Amino acid sequence: MMKNCEYQQIDPRALSVSPSSTQSHTETKVQRSRRKWEVFPGKNRFFCNGRIILARQSGILPLTLGLIVVTCGLFFAFDCPFLVKHLTVFIPVIGGVLFVFVVTSLLRTSFTDPGILPRATPDEATDIEKQIDTSGSSTYRPPPRTKEILINQQVVKLKYCFTCKMFRPPRTSHCSLCDNCVERFDHHCPWVGNCVGKRNYRFFYSFIISLSFLTSFIFGCVVTHITLRSQEGKSLVQSIQESPASVVELVICFFSIWSIMGLSGFHTYLIASNLTTNEDIKGSWSSKRCTEDSGNPYSYNSIITNCCATLCGPMPPSLIDTRGFLSLDEAIPAASASELELPPFTAKNDAHMCTQSTKDVLERMVHSYDIHDLCPPGTPKTTPLGLEVSSTAAPSTEPSPSAGCLRQHALQPMADPCPPFSRSSKRRDSLHSINPAFRLASPSPSLSHTTLILGDAPAIGFIPLP
Amino acid sequence: MATEFHNLQELRHSASLVTKVFVQRDYSEGTICRFQAKFPSELDNRIERTLLEETVKTLNSYYVEAEKIGGQSYLEGCLACATAYIVFLCMETRYEKVLKKITGYIQEQNEKIYAPRGLLLTDPVERGMRVLEISVFEDRGSGSSSPSSSLSSAGSSAR
């Protein structure tokens, strides 16, 4: 029998009653108070009881550390004795200082919270929903994904993040690898194993600058070493045979120098113009995209001020409060949310879902009539686009949309329909060709839209009105 | 209509939460932390406009002070850079000091102004500096609090 889902906004007043009613239940359930890092929704790993934060995939951080330690170890063991004897004792001293700088900057970059924004509380998410759904109509319209604001007399679009359920502040981006919104998001660096954002950008910059100095210093010293050895009446080949470690260091340094120095130069340019890698790559403020009198609204229009603001500006504290204790009313939704989350919903699945044929999608939508309340939480992994919402095509977001429902009994993985509008032209062509069929399969525009706001508390959800 | 509470403890014990009002961030001057001075309409009959605006203005000035790029922040930055940022592990930054001041200010405002009117401000730091959350309470003893209980029963039956 066909059952239609009903969209119903959850009243925040209903929410507030729940903690008190389930007070006795939680007291038995939560024996010890947990720290907030234990229920952190993003894909991060925590060590030392919440003091150290890392991305889930540590990437090639061990390789980076290994390369640095091995190269410096070989340098100190094989080149320094010779150079100290022939030149000066300051060589290992300088090398040591640079090494300390490099390693501490690297560790600080990797282990510091890059500026993660905590996800919106259910009350906030409801409030935002209320604000954008101001028409008050019975059919559920999808909320607009962008909000335009004026920053320094320039129009900037704020995008809505479906995972974090909030309009992202300017310069904030959602990292798909860490599944967090990060303030002043620069990029996710696999070498460092963490995102680079507002709070650790200066550590990252000092890491690459000191690494450039270190690699050039070691390269120079090793070349000097081999040159001096060969000047003592031996041939070059003989000198190399006497000190094979130097060749290893030479090779490593030679290949690293180009990339590291290039990166340092690039980031120096970014700092001087107060840009992030993300903005530069997207060309958000380039002259091609923008009109004549627009540019970077965040720039202070002075290289020195830009540098000082980015590198010597105030250090904001971490907003996620990893070591705080969970209050009782936070513990319940967090605990049940973790029960609901299904492991299959990783980035891979989302990409897979997005590339499925629309035919499958249509079939599934027909099935969705029967399993109206079996919508599992899913999380979009990529940045949502500003969508053109049209009444004809089924509106959904570019990343795989999450279908959220009220606290429900069984959970079956239901793939979500892919959006008709996307950046890839291939997808667009295939969808346009079967657009009429797509429209037919979804009698009510409200039902075809499965992009719902999913709260961390299972009580939050929106079901489509018939 | 406005319920009277004499202190925060009384508020928490005897009142039930009706709704939460959110004051959003104002990004017109960039990414600096600043809250909108617009008065939310839901609080029209709960508190005087000027009081809330004054609180928001003071909070904004505190944030400006915290994020000011000037002599002290440069000194802090250069010192940190010179010590390979180890100094951040030992020392409290200026930003953190100002945030502590803000917490104290909000506590004081809650006790003096907002709790007697059945409102409670939540420190923006606890909400990721995105919103200034104002919880609106209603006295449980009074008859006007029935809407919340009836809604909860309606909500549970719908499931």
Side-chain angles (χ1 to χ4, degrees), chain A residues 297-341:
Chain A
Y298 313 108
S299 172
Y300 295 93
N301 295 317
S302 151
I303 289 178
I304 295 176
T305 320
N306 281 338
C307 292
C308 292
T310 314
L311 298 174
C312 301
M315 179 73 175
S318 174
L319 292 172
I320 52 177
D321 188 24
T322 48
R323 288 177 46 77
F325 286 100
L326 282 176
S327 56
L328 275 173
D329 54 339
E330 283 175 328
I332 319 154
S336 28
S338 56
E339 286 157 17
L340 284 176
E341 260 188 59

Side-chain angles (χ1 to χ4, degrees), chain A residues 240-371:
Chain A
I240 290 172
Q241 276 174 347
E242 276 177 19
S243 177
S246 309
V247 181
V248 174
E249 292 165 53
L250 264 180
V251 167
I252 294 175
C253 288
F254 182 75
F255 286 114
S256 330
I257 277 182
W258 303 114
S259 40
I260 300 289
M261 286 201 147
L263 198 63
S264 306
F266 175 62
H267 277 280
T268 310
Y269 154 72
L270 286 182
I271 286 176
S273 34
N274 206 328
L275 279 173
T276 63
T277 308
N278 204 24
E279 286 166 357
D280 190 70
I281 286 178
K282 283 189 191 163
S284 315
W285 316 118
S286 71
S287 50
K288 280 184 240 169
R289 242 214 214 189
C290 305
T291 54
E292 297 140 13
D293 42 37
S294 62
N296 185 1
Y298 313 108
S299 172
Y300 295 93
N301 295 317
S302 151
I303 289 178
I304 295 176
T305 320
N306 281 338
C307 292
C308 292
T310 314
L311 298 174
C312 301
M315 179 73 175
S318 174
L319 292 172
I320 52 177
D321 188 24
T322 48
R323 288 177 46 77
F325 286 100
L326 282 176
S327 56
L328 275 173
D329 54 339
E330 283 175 328
I332 319 154
S336 28
S338 56
E339 286 157 17
L340 284 176
E341 260 188 59
L342 297 177
F345 281 92
T346 58
K348 272 192 198 159
N349 268 357
D350 294 335
H352 175 64
M353 281 196 258
C354 276
T355 53
Q356 272 171 348
S357 67
T358 321
K359 205 170 151 191
D360 296 342
V361 157
L362 289 177
E363 278 174 7
R364 233 168 273 111
M365 277 176 58
V366 169
H367 286 310
S368 77
Y369 281 100
D370 304 320
I371 49 167

Side-chain angles (χ1 to χ4, degrees), chain A residues 40-41 113 115-121 124 164-166 180-181 183 318-321 456, chain B residues 124-130:
Chain A
F40 187 69
D113 165 21
I116 296 173
L117 276 178
R119 297 188 184 184
T121 56
E124 264 183 78
C164 306
K165 293 175 293 300
M166 59 179 179
N180 290 315
C181 268
E183 281 191 292
S318 174
L319 292 172
I320 52 177
D321 188 24
D456 287 329
Chain B
V125 153
E126 291 172 31
R127 296 289 178 261
M129 307 284 260
R130 283 188 312 267

Side-chain angles (χ1 to χ4, degrees), chain A residues 377-388:
Chain A
T379 50
K381 295 291 177 273
T382 54
T383 317
L385 279 181
L387 257 213
E388 314 86 56

